[in-house]
Amino acid sequence: MTRSALITGATGGIGQALARHLHAAGFPIFITGRNEKKLLELRDELRCPGLALDLSPSEAAPRLYGAARETLGHIDILINNAGFNKAKIPLSDVTAEDIDASYALNLRAPMLLAREALRDMGARRSGHIVNIISSVVHFRAENFSVYTTMKNALHAFNGCLIKEARLVGVKVTGVYPGGVNTAFRAQPRPEYLQPESVATLILNCIAAPDDAVVHEITFRPMVENNF
Ligand SMILES: NC(=O)c1ccc[n+]([C@@H]2O[C@H](COP(=O)([O-])OP(=O)(O)OC[C@H]3O[C@@H](n4cnc5c(N)ncnc54)[C@H](OP(=O)(O)O)[C@@H]3O)[C@@H](O)[C@H]2O)c1
């Protein structure tokens, strides 16, 4: 059976590159992001189904998973990729709304989507959940507290999920990229990793032999030395 994949954050950067790579490799995919115009363009390009929605409200994750499952018939790979960092800001300027928004998208949404996937895939004793985390969990930086906190929590969640999912035959991979040249930052960073390179490395994890699981993968652009 051909494995099919649900990819969040597919309207930009890493998610868009992943959608193109998985499509080219023959995987049926379901794409999602907030920007309806970008989603429709990618749907047209790849001739694949998708749904534009904001993943921040707690009801969005089960709604998305249900829609993707109904359309694809089965979901074998969930890629929790959608995420954001508003800006690098000192804690003195961080608002409660900043913390809530980061929590809702960077932590709660991937947790709820993983829950949906584990219920579904675990019942079939097969599947793969990929969480895009960040190499930010491996260091500390000033003015980066909100994003770093949420990604560290996602890292902890990923570790627990690895254990729970193993019991029901589901693979889990945590991905820890260093800087990637996407719209994640206001300024382009051509010296950083290209999103296509990130997609290639993630595809290798998905293509691991049946008897192997890549639990964690960290990679960085050669210019980075923050480790
Ligand atoms: N770029 C880096 O240096 C880097 C490094 C390590 C880890 N990461 C992680 O990699 C992942 C992808 O980042 P990227 O660099 O590809 O960023 P990006 O180019 O800004 O793309 C982010 C994606 O997330 C979607 N998204 C944002 N807010 C959303 C919301 N509320 N609901 C649903 N979708 C939403 C965006 O959709 P719309 O544009 O349609 O809103 C877009 O498709 C993130 O989890 C990020 O933390 C990035």
Side-chain angles (χ1 to χ4, degrees):
M1 184 180 71
T2 312
R3 288 186 295 164
S4 54
L6 165 59
I7 309 159
T8 71
T11 44
I14 296 170
Q16 189 173 67
L18 266 169
R20 290 192 173 121
H21 273 54
L22 283 163
H23 174 78
F27 290 83
I29 57 171
F30 190 100
I31 57 172
T32 183
R34 259 179 326 183
N35 186 313
E36 200 151 7
K37 185 170 173 287
K38 284 193 203 163
L39 189 87
L40 283 174
E41 282 168 8
L42 194 62
R43 281 183 64 166
D44 285 351
E45 178 192 323
L46 303 180
R47 298 185 185 284
C48 68
L51 178 67
L53 95 173
D54 185 343
L55 269 173
S56 304
S58 57
E59 61 274 14
R63 192 180 144 220
L64 170 66
Y65 197 90
R69 191 184 166 196
E70 198 176 313
T71 308
L72 292 171
H74 51 91
I75 299 173
D76 307 290
I77 302 160
L78 163 67
I79 304 184
N80 270 325
N81 166 71
F84 85 111
N85 183 42
K86 185 178 154 188
K88 284 195 176 180
I89 31 177
L91 183 60
S92 337
D93 297 338
V94 168
T95 64
E97 289 74 23
D98 290 336
I99 298 172
D100 287 347
S102 185
Y103 162 70
L105 184 69
N106 291 322
L107 182 58
R108 185 175 60 193
M111 286 180 75
L112 291 175
L113 279 167
R115 181 196 66 189
E116 296 302 302
L118 200 58
R119 286 174 177 163
D120 177 34
M121 296 172 183
R124 289 182 280 129
R125 296 197 71 83
S126 108
H128 196 156
I129 301 168
V130 179
N131 292 312
I132 311 301
I133 309 175
S134 170
S135 68
V136 80
V137 307
H138 299 313
F139 63 92
R140 299 288 175 259
E142 61 276 8
N143 305 332
F144 220 19
S145 59
V146 179
Y147 180 75
T148 303
T149 299
M150 298 310 158
K151 288 293 185 177
N152 269 275
L154 187 60
H155 165 59
F157 171 71
N158 189 71
C160 297
L161 185 63
I162 284 172
K163 293 227 154 180
E164 278 193 47
R166 187 190 70 82
L167 299 174
V168 290
V170 175
K171 294 184 180 184
V172 175
T173 302
V175 181
Y176 302 79
V180 188
N181 185 25
T182 66
F184 183 77
R185 281 172 210 83
Q187 299 303 322
R189 299 298 294 265
E191 75 280 21
Y192 278 2
L193 292 162
Q194 295 310 303
E196 292 73 23
S197 308
V198 178
T200 299
L201 290 163
I202 295 169
L203 218 68
N204 285 343
C205 299
I206 291 169
D210 283 351
D211 61 347
V213 53
V214 180
H215 279 152
E216 297 186 353
I217 176 171
T218 297
F219 47 86
R220 302 179 176 88
M222 289 295 281
V223 293
E224 250 176 25
N225 62 359
N226 53 4
F227 52 89

